[in-house]
């Protein structure tokens, strides 16, 4: 692909990005000026039957989604010289990855982000699709007139129809692939087998995004291999937020529930996850009682923040140190006094 080439009446203007299998270009209609994103397969990827099937599946699945929170498909064409092309809505704004590369988000910003992402996830799940690759680089932040931003989901290349659904045959296209996705945002069951991913796997990914957004770090470290091993045996630890108010503690509880190792311990749906975040937004005093019924969650309001935990640890270390010092002095005196009394 090169600038100036024509695709379905549109003219390619500039490259927007490239991945392992494809490239994305901006294209404009010469008469109306309407802009689109054109996704194509790289030559070596186009030679792979599995990748081609996945590309066709992406188009088929996107046609089922009608949501302002998901990039809209315009057309799927086969060009004699350029091959298969996916014409999609060009979402204005910047990617969440670019935003998070500059700074972390506040608790309130993370809550708004989560609600916005989950609106799209809920729409996708409603039509029986599991995305399987929700991550910051696959989320665009579309500016709204009031200055806020709407999260828009992109890239359904790894998406699959829910097993047992009307289009279950689409879910068998990548059976040869054991692991698909990005480790830092993948649920443990998806690491073991991509075909074990369910709607709750997508919710895990959203939780991982919110964790990174407020902490600026991944809960299991930056090395993917080590993070994958830890995910299979551990739940993430406390977020160690600097804030100690009810809303910050509530957000921690919500994120940790979304990222529980066992799928059954996570939120049951995107709507439930969203409701928990919306409760935080409405009433910071009672949110912990609303996000779930398990004892671990309802006790969230009494949990210590990271700062208090560090202060408590420091206090007890000082206490232990004092008693150790006293013990050393007593031992020394016991050795010296008998000699002094002779």
């Amino acid at each position: 692909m090169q600038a100036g080439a024509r695709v379905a009446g549109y003219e390619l203007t500039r490259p927007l990005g490239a991945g392992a299998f494809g490239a994305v270009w901006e294209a404009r209609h010469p008469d109306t000026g309407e802009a689109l994103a054109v996704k194509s397969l790289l030559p070596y990827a186009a030679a792979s039957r599995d990748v081609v099937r996945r590309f066709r599946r992406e188009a088929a699945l996107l046609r089922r989604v009608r949501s302002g929170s998901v990039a809209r498909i315009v057309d799927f064409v086969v060009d004699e010289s350029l091959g298969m092309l996916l014409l999609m809505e060009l979402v204005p704004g910047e990617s969440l990855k670019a935003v998070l590369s500059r700074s972390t988000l506040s608790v309130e910003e993370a809550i708004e982000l989560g609600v916005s992402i989950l609106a799209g996830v809920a729409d996708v799940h409603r039509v029986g699709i599991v995305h399987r690759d929700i991550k910051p680089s696959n989320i665009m932040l579309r500016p709204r007139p009031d200055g806020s931003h709407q999260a828009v989901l992109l890239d359904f290349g790894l998406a699959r129809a829910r097993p047992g659904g009307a289009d279950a045959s689409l879910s068998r296209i990548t059976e040869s692939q054991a692991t698909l996705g990005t480790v830092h945002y993948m649920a443990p069951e998806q690491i073991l087998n991509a075909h074990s991913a369910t709607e709750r796997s997508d919710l895990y990914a959203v939780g991982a995004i919110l964790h990174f957004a407020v902490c600026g770090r991944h809960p299991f470290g930056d090395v993917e291999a080590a993070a994958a091993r830890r995910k299979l045996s551990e739940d993430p630890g406390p977020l160690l937020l600097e804030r100690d108010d009810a809303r910050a503690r509530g957000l921690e509880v919500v994120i940790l529930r979304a990222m529980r190792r066992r799928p059954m311990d996570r939120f049951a749906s995107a709507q439930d996850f969203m409701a928990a975040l919306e409760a935080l937004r409405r009433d910071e005093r009672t949110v912990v009682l609303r996000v779930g019924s398990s004892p671990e969650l309802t006790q969230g309001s009494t949990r210590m923040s990271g700062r208090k935990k560090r202060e408590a640890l420091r206090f007890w270390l000082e206490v232990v140190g004092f008693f150790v010092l006293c013990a050393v002095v007593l031992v020394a005196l016991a050795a010296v006094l008998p000699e002094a009394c002779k």
Side-chain angles (χ1 to χ4, degrees):
M1 297 179 72
Q2 59 183 9
R6 291 295 185 96
V7 176
Y10 289 78
E11 183 176 311
L12 299 180
T13 54
R14 63 187 178 97
L16 297 176
F21 300 111
V24 181
W25 278 67
E26 177 189 275
R28 290 188 177 274
H29 195 283
D31 298 326
T32 65
E34 179 188 11
L36 294 177
V38 178
K39 184 176 181 179
S40 68
L41 290 178
L42 296 176
Y44 81 92
S48 167
R49 182 179 301 177
D50 186 64
V51 174
V52 169
R53 286 176 177 173
R54 201 184 308 162
F55 195 68
R56 289 183 178 276
R57 178 189 59 189
E58 179 177 5
L61 293 177
L62 277 172
R63 289 187 186 279
R64 295 168 51 182
V65 183
R66 295 290 183 269
S67 171
S69 298
V70 176
R72 175 177 52 87
I73 183 172
V74 176
D75 202 358
F76 180 80
V77 300
V78 179
D79 185 90
E80 289 185 0
S81 58
L82 301 177
M84 291 184 297
L85 303 170
L86 191 59
L87 278 61
M88 304 186 63
E89 168 191 12
L90 182 63
V91 182
E94 61 179 335
S95 71
L96 178 58
K97 180 180 180 179
V99 172
L100 296 182
S101 69
R102 296 194 297 268
S103 66
T104 57
L105 301 185
S106 69
V107 168
E108 287 74 20
E109 288 171 335
I111 291 170
E112 296 300 322
L113 173 66
V115 170
S116 189
I117 294 173
L118 288 164
V121 174
D123 289 338
V124 169
H125 289 176
R126 193 173 292 115
V127 295
I129 297 172
V130 181
H131 189 285
R132 298 199 298 179
D133 198 22
I134 298 175
K135 57 186 179 181
S137 60
N138 284 343
I139 297 172
M140 289 292 291
L141 298 178
R142 189 199 331 252
R144 294 188 178 109
D146 63 0
S148 64
H149 293 81
Q150 177 187 25
V152 180
L153 291 178
L154 309 176
D155 199 343
F156 281 67
L158 298 185
R160 69 191 294 247
R162 183 191 301 119
D167 294 316
S169 60
L170 290 172
S171 70
R172 296 193 293 271
I173 289 175
T174 56
E175 282 182 352
S176 61
Q177 301 293 330
T179 300
L180 296 170
T182 304
V183 168
H184 291 309
Y185 304 100
M186 286 171 62
E189 66 275 9
Q190 189 174 345
I191 292 175
L192 292 173
N193 186 342
H195 294 277
S196 297
T198 66
E199 288 88 342
R200 295 192 188 201
S201 306
D202 283 348
L203 303 187
Y204 184 103
V206 177
I209 289 172
L210 297 183
H211 187 294
F212 185 79
V214 294
C215 296
R217 57 179 175 78
H218 298 294
F220 296 104
D222 293 330
V223 180
E224 289 196 348
R229 287 193 298 269
R230 290 184 60 192
K231 279 188 176 191
L232 297 177
S233 59
E234 303 174 26
D235 286 322
L239 273 64
L240 302 180
L241 299 175
E242 291 301 320
R243 283 174 51 174
D244 189 29
D245 56 274
R247 181 171 286 151
R249 293 196 303 270
L251 179 62
E252 179 181 27
V253 170
V254 170
I255 290 174
L256 292 181
R257 181 176 179 183
M259 295 187 68
R260 295 298 296 269
R261 183 172 59 87
R262 299 196 309 168
M264 68 180 68
D265 293 333
R266 300 172 202 153
F267 291 101
S269 67
Q271 290 89 342
D272 288 348
F273 192 169
M274 197 181 338
L277 291 175
E278 288 175 336
L280 276 171
R281 183 167 57 183
R282 290 193 304 269
D283 186 355
E284 63 184 65
R285 295 168 298 176
T286 59
V287 63
V288 176
L289 299 178
R290 295 175 180 169
V291 297
S293 58
S294 69
E296 185 176 48
L297 291 175
T298 55
Q299 293 170 4
S301 59
T302 62
R303 293 174 60 190
M304 291 187 295
S305 68
R307 184 175 65 254
K308 285 190 175 182
K309 286 180 179 178
R310 290 192 293 271
E311 291 172 354
L313 178 61
R314 189 181 303 113
F315 169 79
W316 286 110
L317 286 174
E318 291 173 353
V319 170
V320 172
F322 172 78
F323 282 109
V324 170
L325 179 61
C326 290
V328 171
V329 171
L330 290 174
V331 169
L333 289 175
V336 171
L337 286 177
E339 295 295 328
C341 294
K342 290 181 179 179

